[in-house]
């Protein structure tokens, strides 16, 4: 089980590398990696287990965040209106955003990251709608269309696979400035 000490922190070079494409059939190690990443997310969102193990709650975890430079990310996205409901629970292998809307969205409170210990204020502009191509556990190509919060989470995780951190996208001179037509998710 991953604990906070297992999370790779900002400054580690693995977070700035482009992750290697995963090959099929999946290795035993990559299957375990996927299981372990999802287990962290499930445990971190459980108030009892999160407190017991000192876990920061997460909605996504990419392999580089646990020191593995492979193109795999797990997401566990709760519904913002009904937190007991899950909007998206899956592991994306070799995900690529193949299309995105011009409509911009951002989280009103900004984004956070398990690999970044300090708060970094500012809007992180993201596409409101995206289409992702990814491989499932059998190596079959799949397509996923997302919008709003789940789209933001997946863009954040795919950024990790390409060597970017969320704060790279914040306007450095005016962190709280964003397009007037942007959808702000509170």
């Amino acid at each position: 089980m991953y604990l906070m000490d297992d999370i790779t922190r900002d400054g580690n070079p693995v977070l700035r590398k482009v992750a290697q494409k995963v090959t099929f059939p999946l290795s035993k190690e990559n299957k375990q990696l996927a299981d372990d990443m999802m287990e962290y997310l499930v445990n971190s969102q459980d108030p009892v287990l999160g407190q017991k193990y000192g876990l920061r709650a997460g909605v996504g975890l990419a392999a580089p965040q646990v020191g593995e430079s492979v193109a795999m990310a797990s997401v566990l996205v709760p519904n913002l209106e009904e937190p007991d409901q899950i909007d998206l629970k899956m592991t994306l292998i070799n995900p690529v955003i193949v299309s995105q809307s011009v409509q911009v969205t951002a989280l009103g409170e900004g984004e956070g990251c398990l690999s970044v210990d300090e708060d970094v204020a500012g809007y992180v502009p993201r596409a409101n709608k995206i289409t992702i191509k990814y491989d499932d556990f059998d190596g079959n190509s799949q397509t996923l269309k997302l919008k709003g919060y789940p789209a933001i989470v997946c863009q954040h995780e795919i950024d990790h696979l390409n060597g970017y951190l969320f704060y790279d996208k914040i306007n450095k001179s005016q962190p709280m400035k964003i397009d007037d037509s942007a959808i702000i998710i509170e």
Side-chain angles (χ1 to χ4, degrees):
M1 180 174 93
Y2 287 134
L3 300 174
M4 283 307 298
D5 286 347
D6 299 308
I7 303 296
T8 304
R9 296 308 207 282
D10 193 6
N12 186 309
V14 74
L15 292 174
R16 293 304 188 164
K17 289 171 58 177
V18 174
Q20 296 297 306
K21 191 169 181 174
V22 175
T23 58
F24 292 90
L26 276 184
S27 67
K28 188 174 87 173
E29 293 80 13
N30 280 338
K31 287 179 186 174
Q32 188 63 54
L33 175 63
D35 288 347
D36 291 346
M37 289 191 304
M38 186 59 74
E39 179 186 37
Y40 177 91
L41 296 176
V42 169
N43 290 345
S44 76
Q45 290 184 29
D46 180 302
V48 174
L49 291 176
Q51 183 172 9
K52 178 179 179 180
Y53 295 111
L55 306 177
R56 281 176 49 201
V59 293
L61 189 61
Q65 292 183 273
V66 290
E68 300 293 331
S69 189
V70 295
M72 187 183 308
S74 294
V75 292
L76 180 61
V77 184
N79 181 293
L80 293 178
E81 276 81 45
E82 297 181 44
D84 291 342
Q85 303 295 315
I86 298 296
D87 276 351
L88 184 64
K89 179 181 182 179
M90 66 188 317
T91 297
L92 301 164
I93 302 170
N94 301 323
V96 176
I97 297 170
V98 294
S99 69
Q100 61 186 30
S101 66
V102 294
Q103 175 66 62
V104 173
T105 190
L107 295 179
E109 62 186 30
E111 291 184 23
C113 180
L114 295 170
S115 293
V116 179
D117 289 327
E118 65 277 350
D119 287 333
V120 181
Y123 287 124
V124 181
R126 304 277 187 192
N128 187 49
K129 294 180 183 176
I130 60 172
T131 301
I132 300 171
K133 276 209 145 346
Y134 70 97
D135 295 323
D136 64 20
F137 281 80
D138 295 320
N140 299 312
S141 182
Q142 304 288 337
T143 302
L144 178 65
K145 292 178 183 263
L146 299 168
K147 71 177 202 171
Y149 187 48
I152 289 173
V153 172
C154 287
Q155 288 171 85
H156 179 115
E157 298 312 319
I158 291 170
D159 277 352
H160 275 300
L161 304 180
N162 292 304
Y164 297 104
L165 294 171
F166 75 94
Y167 61 72
D168 297 334
K169 297 185 178 284
I170 296 173
N171 181 325
K172 303 296 179 254
S173 61
Q174 295 179 294
M176 298 313 291
K177 180 154 177 51
I178 195 164
D179 188 274
D180 289 339
S181 66
I183 298 169
I184 305 301
I185 297 174
E186 298 296 342

